Amino acid sequence: MTEPRLPSTGDKHDALHEAAVLANALPYLRRYAGDTIVVKYGGHAMGDVGLAKTFGRDIALLKQVGINPVVVHGGGPQINQMLKRLDIPSHFIDGLRVTDANVVDVIEMVLAGSVNKQVAELICEAGALAVGISGKDGKMITARKMRRTVRDMDSQIERVLDLGFVGEPVKVDPRVIYALSGSGLIPVIAPVGLGEDGETYNINADTAAGAVAGAVHATRLLMLTDVPGVLDKQGNLIPELTAAQARQAIEEGVITGGMIPKVETCIEAVQGGASGAVIIDGRMPHACLLELFTASGSGTLIRAE
C-alpha cells in the first residue's frame, strides 16, 4: 500500500528550501549517528506551551535519525506552585531554599511525578517512546547532602549552611539509561537522588544533567537556558571555550552571576567524560537542532581542552 503524501503548501520555493535544509543536515546526522546527547530541559522553554511542543518533536526526531537523546529536566516553578497550593512555607538562608522533610516530599511528587510524565508525554505525542524515571530508579544517581559555606564580611569567619535535603551527585550508574536507550526508548530523568543514608535528595537539574552526561560519555550536553550563551564584556556571544579558558573568564569577571554555576557544570561534564557541553538559548525554537545540525551552532561550546 502506497503511503499518502503529506499536505503541500503549494510553494515550490518553500519545498526547495526544505530539501536544501535536509541536504545540509546530512553530514551532521552522520556525525552524531549512534551517539548519546544529554539535554537539560528547563527555564522558559519548559514554561512556554509552543516551545514545549517543539521541544518534544525535536527530541523525537533525534531518536528517529539514530541519535540517543537523554533528557534531564527541572521544575522549579511547578514546585513553587505546589508548595503554595499546599500552604507549605518556604524558608531561605542567604537566598537558598531550605528543603526539609515536608518540602522534599513535595519536590519528589512534582519532579518525579507530574512534571516528569508531562515531559515524557510531549515526546510520545511526537511519535517517539519516552519513559519518565528519577535518579532513584535503579540507584541511578547516588547523592550526598550538599553543604554551602558563607563568609561573614565583618569577621571573615566561614560558616556552614545546612540546606536540608538538597543534594549533589556522588555517582551515576548509567545501566538504566543504557537499557532504555538500547531498547529504543528515550529516558526522561527527574533530578532526585538517593543518598547512601537512604534519604531522598533534591538535586539541581543542571548539576544532575552534567553528572549524567559525564557518566554516559555523551557526545554533547545541551544546556537549555534563558540566554544566548556565554557573552564577552561587550555582550557578544563567545562561540567556543576550553575548560581552562572558561575558568579564566570566571576569574576575570567575564562570566558572572547565574552563568557561573552553569559554566562550572559544563566544565565538570567534559572533565567527567562528555566530549563537549553547550549552553544554548532554549527560548529559540529548535535550539537543539540548530546546535547539532548546523555549522554555526547556536550557543557556547565548552570542551575539555
Side-chain angles (χ1 to χ4, degrees), residues 33-278:
D35 289 354
T36 298
I37 305 293
V38 176
V39 183
K40 185 272 173 172
Y41 178 49
H44 187 81
M46 196 171 185
D48 184 282
V49 175
L51 287 175
K53 290 184 177 180
T54 298
F55 173 82
R57 290 194 295 268
D58 290 351
I59 297 300
L61 174 64
L62 294 181
K63 190 67 175 181
Q64 289 160 356
V65 299
I67 297 170
N68 294 313
V70 177
V71 178
V72 180
H73 65 81
Q78 294 89 335
I79 292 170
N80 292 334
Q81 290 171 8
M82 183 58 72
L83 289 172
K84 185 176 180 181
R85 181 177 172 184
L86 297 176
D87 198 25
I88 297 176
S90 296
H91 302 287
F92 295 86
I93 300 178
D94 290 347
L96 300 171
R97 186 198 300 276
V98 177
T99 303
D100 59 23
N102 290 331
V103 173
V104 78
D105 284 345
V106 173
I107 288 173
E108 183 173 17
M109 176 180 68
V110 173
L111 285 182
S114 57
V115 173
N116 185 254
K117 305 314 173 190
Q118 286 168 7
V119 176
E121 185 180 356
L122 286 171
I123 300 169
C124 290
E125 286 179 349
L129 294 177
V131 176
I133 56 177
S134 81
K136 292 173 65 175
D137 293 309
K139 292 186 177 180
M140 185 196 318
I141 301 178
T142 301
R144 66 185 171 201
K145 179 191 284 285
M146 184 180 73
R147 293 187 181 273
R148 290 280 185 90
T149 60
V150 294
R151 184 184 297 274
D152 184 83
M153 297 303 294
D154 296 325
S155 66
Q156 294 299 305
I157 297 175
E158 285 191 346
R159 61 188 179 92
V160 177
L161 299 180
D162 186 350
L163 300 175
F165 297 97
V166 177
E168 57 187 1
V170 175
K171 176 186 175 183
V172 175
D173 185 337
R175 286 180 293 175
V176 173
I177 297 173
Y178 291 151
L180 292 173
S181 294
S183 299
L185 306 173
I186 299 173
V188 176
I189 304 170
V192 179
L194 187 66
E196 294 180 350
D197 54 6
E199 299 288 359
T200 297
Y201 288 96
N202 175 36
I203 303 170
N204 176 274
D206 290 351
T207 305
V212 168
V216 299
H217 299 281
T219 299
R220 287 289 183 271
L221 164 63
L222 304 183
M223 300 271 287
L224 270 63
T225 65
D226 290 344
V227 294
V230 179
L231 307 180
D232 61 21
K233 289 186 175 181
Q234 288 71 45
N236 300 312
L237 179 69
I238 302 174
E240 187 170 338
L241 291 166
T242 64
Q245 289 171 336
R247 285 199 189 91
Q248 184 178 357
I250 292 173
E251 293 172 0
E252 294 176 350
V254 175
I255 299 173
T256 60
M259 184 57 71
I260 293 177
K262 293 184 183 300
V263 170
E264 290 177 337
T265 292
C266 292
I267 293 172
E268 291 172 4
V270 298
Q271 292 183 334
S275 298
V278 193

